[in-house]
Amino acid sequence: MVGAGKTTAEQRARQLEDSDIKPVLEAKEEGKKPVKERTNTMSRYSRHYLLLWDQLKVADGVLVKEFVKRDGLGTYGLVIVPEKVKGEILQSMHGGLLAGHMGTKKTKAKILQRWGCPVSILSDQGRTYESKVFQELCRLLGVKKVRTSVRNPRCNGQVERFNRTLVRMIRAYLQGVQEDWDLNLGCLAGAYRATPNEVTKLTPNLLTMGREERLPAELVFGSTTNKSEVPVTSYGDYVDGIRSKMNHAHDIAMKHLQKSAARSHDIYDKRMLVNNYEKGDLVFS
């Protein structure tokens, strides 16, 4: 999301300061598109935003434009940027530390890209994440650093679950030998990414890249994993093939996730003890 390095409060304040964006933001919050008599008094930029009325949404008080992802799986929002901020964004995306001074087309594509530096990082208050090096890195990359509550691992439950899995893998692999265990993390993480998830039934590799990684055993014994029935004759064919595979994989994963959620809901309902009380019944207070 463009401009996501700022807090939503700061983004909203900047939009309300912009004479072109403010009337459109207020109209979307009211849920009423301005009538023609009202739009005639607006700037041409405001009228342009109104042409996008159905694509505009208000998220956390900030006006955004929704785009359909190129793979067709869902949408993402880009902040409507005030005029005085555009120069700052273009400078960071063109002449910043990680920008590379690319041309117009490549810079535009970079601004529009849902793959790159994270908007924010949620972590515990460990020394690694509180170090000056990490803080400076976040500052350079425009990443917002968020801390979990003290002694509350559930605040970052997804990471904690992954850590438990990774620790089990380390223990099983090292078999009690603790020296240089960190040197094996890359290989163990690769093994995790090549293993089907219990819920989605698919590997992280397939869901992220649209293909499976070639495993060492396949190099030794041979495999047909990466062979395609349809010959690839151009870069476009390759990209279309990857996109098709990812769409199919995401559809399958979504179905499995829905089934898992429904199963968890049924289990929860069965465990719930519901008491129907009548007037005059004795209860503990």
Side-chain angles (χ1 to χ4, degrees):
M1 182 178 289
V2 173
K6 301 292 183 181
T7 65
T8 53
E10 290 173 322
Q11 289 175 340
R12 177 178 174 83
R14 286 188 171 186
Q15 288 185 338
L16 291 175
E17 291 172 358
D18 188 279
S19 59
D20 299 320
I21 299 177
K22 180 180 179 180
V24 182
L25 170 59
E26 293 175 340
K28 287 299 296 187
E29 289 184 321
E30 294 175 3
K32 296 181 180 179
K33 186 176 182 180
V35 296
K36 184 176 181 180
E37 290 75 11
R38 173 74 175 91
T39 60
N40 288 336
T41 64
M42 293 182 174
S43 69
R44 61 189 183 96
Y45 296 107
S46 296
R47 294 197 298 270
H48 170 73
Y49 293 139
L50 291 176
L51 293 176
L52 308 173
W53 180 262
D54 292 334
Q55 292 177 265
L56 297 179
K57 306 291 179 183
V58 178
D60 296 327
V62 179
L63 187 66
V64 301
K65 179 184 176 182
E66 282 196 339
F67 290 82
V68 177
K69 292 182 178 180
R70 291 182 178 180
D71 58 11
L73 300 174
T75 61
Y76 65 96
L78 292 181
V79 174
I80 300 298
V81 180
E83 186 65 31
K84 70 176 185 180
V85 185
K86 291 181 180 179
E88 176 186 335
I89 293 175
L90 288 174
Q91 172 59 29
S92 65
M93 299 303 289
H94 175 71
L97 179 65
L98 300 179
H101 290 270
M102 297 297 179
T104 302
K105 292 183 178 180
K106 292 184 178 180
T107 300
K108 181 179 178 180
K110 187 185 300 181
I111 293 175
L112 293 175
Q113 70 182 2
R114 233 28 233 154
W115 187 281
C117 296
V119 172
S120 62
I121 294 178
L122 173 65
S123 73
D124 57 24
Q125 299 184 39
R127 293 182 180 180
T128 302
Y129 305 109
E130 297 299 311
S131 67
K132 291 183 179 180
V133 173
F134 196 86
Q135 292 178 6
E136 181 65 12
L137 183 62
C138 288
R139 187 190 68 79
L140 288 173
L141 299 180
V143 177
K144 182 181 178 181
K145 178 66 177 63
V146 185
R147 300 181 181 88
T148 61
S149 303
V150 178
R151 297 181 180 178
N152 182 24
R154 291 180 298 177
C155 185
N156 203 4
Q158 189 173 14
V159 171
E160 294 297 332
R161 285 192 295 273
F162 170 76
N163 287 341
R164 287 199 299 269
T165 301
L166 188 59
V167 168
R168 287 198 299 267
M169 295 174 67
I170 292 174
R171 287 174 177 170
Y173 177 76
L174 297 179
Q175 297 180 352
V177 180
Q178 300 300 322
E179 291 80 8
D180 299 331
W181 63 268
D182 56 312
L183 300 179
N184 299 288
L185 283 179
C187 292
L188 293 174
Y192 178 87
R193 292 191 291 266
T195 304
N197 181 271
E198 183 178 353
V199 177
T200 65
K201 312 301 181 185
L202 301 173
T203 68
N205 281 334
L206 183 61
L207 291 174
T208 303
M209 302 181 294
R211 61 184 175 86
E212 299 289 6
E213 287 293 287
R214 181 172 293 180
L215 301 176
E218 295 179 282
L219 297 176
V220 176
F221 301 107
S223 171
T224 59
T225 298
N226 294 325
K227 291 184 179 180
S228 174
E229 297 179 0
V230 180
V232 177
T233 58
S234 69
Y235 293 118
D237 289 341
Y238 177 77
V239 172
D240 288 341
I242 290 293
R243 180 181 302 171
S244 177
K245 290 179 182 178
M246 292 189 72
N247 287 342
H248 185 57
H250 288 179
D251 288 341
I252 294 175
M254 185 60 65
K255 291 177 181 178
H256 285 303
L257 287 170
Q258 291 171 348
K259 289 181 180 178
S260 178
R263 186 164 56 250
S264 298
H265 187 272
D266 291 340
I267 294 174
Y268 175 81
D269 288 344
K270 291 178 181 178
R271 291 179 177 176
M272 286 290 293
L273 180 60
V274 180
N275 294 318
N276 295 318
Y277 297 103
E278 300 292 339
K279 185 176 181 180
D281 288 346
L282 295 176
V283 298
F284 290 103
S285 60

